[in-house]
Amino acid sequence: MMITSRKLQPQLLKIGGLALIVVVAGAAGAVGLAAFWLNPPADDLSKLFVYLLTSGGLSVCLVMFWLIFSRRQVGLRAQLSVAYLVGSIITIVNVVVTGGLMFLSVHDQNLLMLLLLFSASISVFFAFFLSEQLGRQVRELTRGASEIAAGKLDTRVAAGGSQELAQLAQAFNMMAVKLEQSAQDRQEMEQSRKELVAAISHDLRTPLASLRLMTEAVSDGVADEQQTAIFLERMSNEVQYMTGLIEDLFELSQLDAGALKLSPERASLSDLISDTLESLKAQATRKRQNLQGQIEGELPELLFDPRKIQRVLNNLVGNAIRYTPEGGTIQLGAQQMGRWVCVSVRDNGEGIIQADINSIFEPFYRGERSRGRESGGAGLGLAIARKLVEAHGGKIWVQSQEGQGSTFTFELPVN
Ligand code: ADP
């Protein structure tokens, strides 16, 4: 309360000062007009000037007192109604006294009084209802703010009343929508963080448990020479898997944090596609798959980070090999389409079930069919591919028919 009144004081002093200037100017103007229209004796004019100054000054003091008093304690309806009432009383007193000074007849003066009383009661009546409407809207906003403060972020207020209050209510509702949205985002982020931690722990726990068992078997002498050799090879595979997982996680976290720096250079995508076909040929041949490449027309040189796009191609073709049965066909193609170069990896493998399609680019998401499988990765390959393509200003998507195969496509801008 003290802070509020202290803050108000300079403002009220300014209003009071301005009001006094208006009173002096108004009194001078009124005396000037009276001299012009009524031509009274100079003595009457000076009496009128003194009276107007006194009554105006007293009115200002009364209103100032009222402003200080009402801002602190009284509601909007009482504040406005009393302000109108005070204004009307001051007007009546002024008119009666100045009327007396100007020698109006008692009859005229009473008639004037009646008219003034009538207009004063109408004003107070309107002030009462107007402030009631204002008060209702303010109470509505107060309710909304209290509910938001109590955590009910779906609260909205009705936008009625005057234009300014309706705008305020709209702004309030927009603020509530934003608050609700950001609370929801925070909740989703928290949820995905929990899922990520659970997925990482799960993916590390399994190989670590098998490593522990194998090392115990070797160190306890339970395993013979042949078994030891098999265990050592498996241990090396597990260590390789965990190293790959940690590297993928590190890359994904850097991409998420925007900390991964691309090293773009003008290079040929055709060369990159040939390199990918070359390096993954052996893997496809082992599954007796037909790995083909097809580039339509001449591809323009693009500005991109060849190592990162190579990574995307490896992930997509590696997946196609993994999820296509023996004897299947994998086609890696590229073509320019206007301001974009589209690269697609098509396979005639198992395809992706509809329920998985929207989630396969999420970190640690493994399709329904690959979850229980030994050969599956950690579910980071497509998440990394998407982030890398997006970091180049491109897009990546998939089309798939269950049992018939999948086509992964990404496009990069021609720049
Ligand atoms: P993973 O390491 O499991 O392969 P990815 O992020 O590369 O992780 O892929 C996520 C999931 O998308 C896979 O588990 C698999 O179910 C599905 N998937 C990816 N590529 C293909 C494909 N060519 N054919 C069928 N399913 C695929």
Side-chain angles (χ1 to χ4, degrees):
M1 192 75 97
M2 281 303 287
I3 293 164
T4 314
S5 69
R6 242 186 246 149
K7 269 189 187 168
L8 276 176
Q9 270 169 17
Q11 205 190 342
L12 286 179
L13 279 176
K14 215 166 124 186
I15 294 172
L18 266 173
L20 283 176
I21 292 172
V22 170
V23 165
V24 175
V31 170
L33 279 175
F36 178 69
W37 276 332
L38 308 170
N39 204 13
D43 190 37
D44 283 356
L45 278 179
S46 60
K47 270 191 206 159
L48 180 67
F49 185 64
V50 171
Y51 172 71
L52 287 178
L53 275 186
T54 319
S55 70
L58 279 173
S59 310
V60 170
C61 292
L62 208 63
V63 170
M64 291 302 297
F65 173 76
W66 170 247
L67 276 177
I68 294 166
F69 175 71
S70 64
R71 274 186 191 228
R72 281 186 183 179
Q73 293 170 13
V74 188
L76 193 62
R77 191 164 53 177
Q79 200 180 52
L80 270 182
S81 306
V82 175
Y84 268 82
L85 195 66
V86 169
S88 301
I89 291 171
I90 290 166
T91 312
I92 292 170
V93 172
N94 276 351
V95 169
V96 168
V97 176
T98 47
L101 278 175
M102 288 168 161
F103 310 111
L104 282 178
S105 71
V106 176
H107 173 268
D108 289 351
Q109 210 167 347
N110 286 346
L111 183 67
L112 202 58
M113 276 276 288
L114 262 174
L115 290 174
L116 282 171
L117 276 173
F118 176 73
S119 49
S121 40
I122 297 276
S123 309
V124 173
F125 179 79
F126 276 126
F128 185 82
F129 280 101
L130 184 75
S131 52
E132 168 57 20
Q133 204 190 6
L134 277 172
R136 205 180 312 127
Q137 189 63 13
V138 171
R139 282 196 296 278
E140 172 72 354
L141 284 162
T142 311
R143 173 196 67 81
S146 316
E147 285 186 4
I148 295 262
K152 274 188 74 185
L153 299 182
D154 57 349
T155 301
R156 302 288 179 272
V157 293
S162 67
Q163 201 185 6
E164 288 82 356
L165 282 176
Q167 281 171 353
L168 179 62
Q170 270 172 8
F172 181 94
N173 286 342
M174 264 161 58
M175 177 201 74
V177 168
K178 291 249 163 72
L179 279 175
E180 198 179 9
Q181 184 65 49
S182 64
Q184 208 172 325
D185 290 350
R186 252 201 330 271
Q187 215 173 343
E188 278 169 17
M189 256 169 62
E190 182 61 17
Q191 183 60 26
S192 70
R193 192 189 61 79
K194 280 183 190 157
E195 283 170 11
L196 210 68
V197 171
I200 296 168
S201 340
H202 173 268
D203 277 36
L204 287 176
R205 199 181 304 128
T206 317
L208 277 173
S210 98
L211 269 179
R212 188 168 56 84
L213 287 176
M214 288 188 281
T215 41
E216 274 171 13
V218 173
S219 63
D220 291 351
V222 181
D224 60 25
E225 211 169 297
Q226 199 186 354
Q227 274 176 325
T228 305
I230 295 170
F231 281 173
L232 280 175
E233 196 190 328
R234 278 202 208 151
M235 282 155 80
S236 154
N237 287 343
E238 298 289 19
V239 169
Q240 222 173 311
Y241 168 79
M242 285 194 291
T243 311
L245 177 66
I246 303 286
E247 273 168 9
D248 281 355
L249 270 172
F250 182 62
E251 185 158 13
L252 195 67
S253 71
Q254 277 195 312
L255 281 164
D256 269 338
L260 190 103
K261 291 270 171 289
L262 294 179
S263 308
E265 54 186 77
R266 274 213 178 268
S268 155
L269 207 54
S270 312
D271 291 350
L272 219 58
I273 289 174
S274 306
D275 292 350
T276 313
L277 290 171
E278 202 56 48
S279 69
L280 292 172
K281 202 173 181 152
Q283 210 175 312
T285 310
R286 239 179 280 143
K287 282 184 86 176
R288 283 186 283 115
Q289 289 165 335
N290 185 10
L291 179 60
Q292 308 167 346
Q294 192 188 4
I295 293 172
E296 281 178 31
E298 276 278 300
L299 292 185
E301 284 210 326
L302 301 181
L303 188 65
F304 64 96
D305 184 332
R307 283 186 57 229
K308 302 297 176 206
I309 295 301
Q310 181 76 73
R311 177 85 200 271
V312 175
L313 286 169
N314 284 347
N315 283 357
L316 296 183
V317 179
N319 275 350
I321 293 172
R322 186 187 293 160
Y323 299 112
T324 300
E326 292 207 354
T329 302
I330 293 140
Q331 286 170 307
L332 175 54
Q335 60 173 315
Q336 181 173 5
M337 292 177 82
R339 306 283 310 142
W340 300 92
V341 169
C342 288
V343 182
S344 59
V345 180
R346 183 194 302 266
D347 66 61
N348 60 355
E350 62 191 42
I352 301 165
I353 61 169
Q354 208 52 39
D356 286 337
I357 285 250
N358 292 329
S359 311
I360 54 168
F361 289 99
E362 298 299 325
F364 284 104
Y365 193 88
R366 275 171 280 201
E368 191 64 43
R369 295 216 187 98
S370 29
R371 258 170 231 159
R373 189 156 50 194
E374 279 285 295
S375 61
L380 292 174
L382 288 179
I384 291 174
R386 179 172 69 174
K387 299 251 180 223
L388 288 174
V389 169
E390 284 174 356
H392 282 83
K395 277 203 309 255
I396 186 167
W397 66 93
V398 63
Q399 287 163 304
S400 184
Q401 195 75 45
E402 212 186 326
Q404 292 184 23
S406 317
T407 304
F408 283 84
T409 311
F410 70 88
E411 55 181 21
L412 296 177
V414 178
N415 38 24

